[in-house]
Amino acid sequence: MSAETDATAAGGLAGEMEVEAYRRLFPLAFLERHLRESVRPDARRLAEARPTTVALGAVSSAHGSALVRLGDTAMLASIKLEVMSPSAETPDQGSVAVEFHMPPICSPLVRPGRPAEAAPVISKALEDVLMSSGMLNLKELCLISGKASWVAYLDVYCLNADGSLFDAALISVVAAFTHLEIPLVSVGDDGRVFTVGGNEGKTKYELVNREKRKLTLGDIPFPLTCALHKDSILADPTAEEESIIETSVTVVLDSSGRLVSIQKPGGGVTSMATIKACIGLAKERGQKLKEILTDSVEAMEVDQAE
């Protein structure tokens, strides 16, 4: 009996090694073999996104932060506020500076000393969505019109890159702004505006804003990237799927269901029917992400109450 068991185990191991070898040598054929069965290599359905978690307040030294996991993709977003003089064009508004970082630890494809090509592209895409979605009212970042306003330095760090990087980054940005708390500030005798910390500061200085507060967020943008291969639409592709499939579409809808943006970086010609199908999947995904974000806020409030 022992010999039979050993033989079965050896056969199973050999089978697994053959499958893995086939996967590495013929990645497209391996993927298509799964797609014919309407399933993906990680056992998901074609339209199924990976499990998503949001943890607010991941960085204690930041004014707002969030850690997001989208499958094995992990993003950390942090917001640091600084008082600056507003521009002459927008004296009653603050500003947001966005930077997306891909350190070498996030992927073997990112080499030390060489900036990742995707980083500036994702930075610009995040900034465009933030400004066009209407989620932020920059006037809420104004302290004293024409004299002082907040600059929100938004840094997003990719901790592990396993596909759908823009999706995970935007979710982490939205969560970080949800967590953001505007600190107390005062004006010194020299006219300089500075932040005030602790209960002692409240009594020692005359405050511009009496209480710490949250930003009033407008409609929140939620993303979904779809990889397109022949007649198949793969929601939330992994890095492996992205390396095989050349065509993808990223749809961003706000929490009211309005279209914020559609990005299609290269690839083949895509039909309008396929675009509409991607938008439909994005609507479903947006509802789920809204629930996840709401749950994370409620969990944080419970923790603070305790």
Side-chain angles (χ1 to χ4, degrees), residues 152-215:
Y153 289 101
L154 170 63
D155 289 284
V156 184
Y157 297 89
C158 180
L159 305 181
N160 194 55
D162 187 31
S164 299
L165 300 188
F166 174 78
D167 294 17
L170 182 55
I171 297 168
S172 71
V173 166
V174 166
F177 273 107
T178 301
H179 176 252
L180 177 66
E181 192 171 61
I182 306 294
L184 302 175
V185 294
S186 182
V187 181
D189 295 335
D190 57 357
R192 183 176 60 88
V193 179
F194 58 93
T195 57
V196 175
N199 292 325
E200 181 182 350
K202 291 184 179 181
T203 57
K204 186 176 180 181
Y205 302 103
E206 183 177 349
L207 301 176
V208 174
N209 51 338
R210 295 295 176 183
E211 297 291 338
K212 291 183 179 181
R213 62 181 177 85
K214 299 279 191 180
L215 287 180

Side-chain angles (χ1 to χ4, degrees), residues 33-143:
R33 188 174 178 179
H34 283 78
L35 296 184
R36 284 194 291 270
E37 303 296 329
S38 297
V39 71
R40 296 157 74 170
D42 59 5
R44 281 186 291 157
R45 300 186 306 276
L46 302 192
E48 183 181 354
R50 290 171 291 179
T52 305
T53 61
V54 175
L56 301 179
V59 182
S60 59
S61 59
H63 294 111
S65 62
L67 174 64
V68 167
R69 295 186 182 278
L70 179 56
D72 287 334
T73 295
M75 292 285 171
L76 177 66
S78 67
I79 303 171
K80 197 76 172 179
L81 296 175
E82 287 191 11
V83 179
M84 301 285 283
S85 298
S87 66
E89 293 78 14
T90 54
D92 61 344
Q93 294 183 14
S95 59
V96 179
V98 182
E99 193 72 34
F100 181 78
H101 308 269
M102 289 188 70
I105 61 167
C106 77
S107 169
L109 301 178
V110 181
R111 307 300 299 172
R114 300 179 186 176
E117 293 182 4
V121 177
I122 295 178
S123 291
K124 183 64 167 61
L126 289 172
E127 183 177 358
D128 289 346
V129 168
L130 278 179
M131 294 301 104
S132 63
S133 67
M135 182 183 82
L136 300 177
N137 180 2
L138 296 181
K139 290 186 177 182
E140 286 201 354
L141 295 176
C142 177
L143 289 167

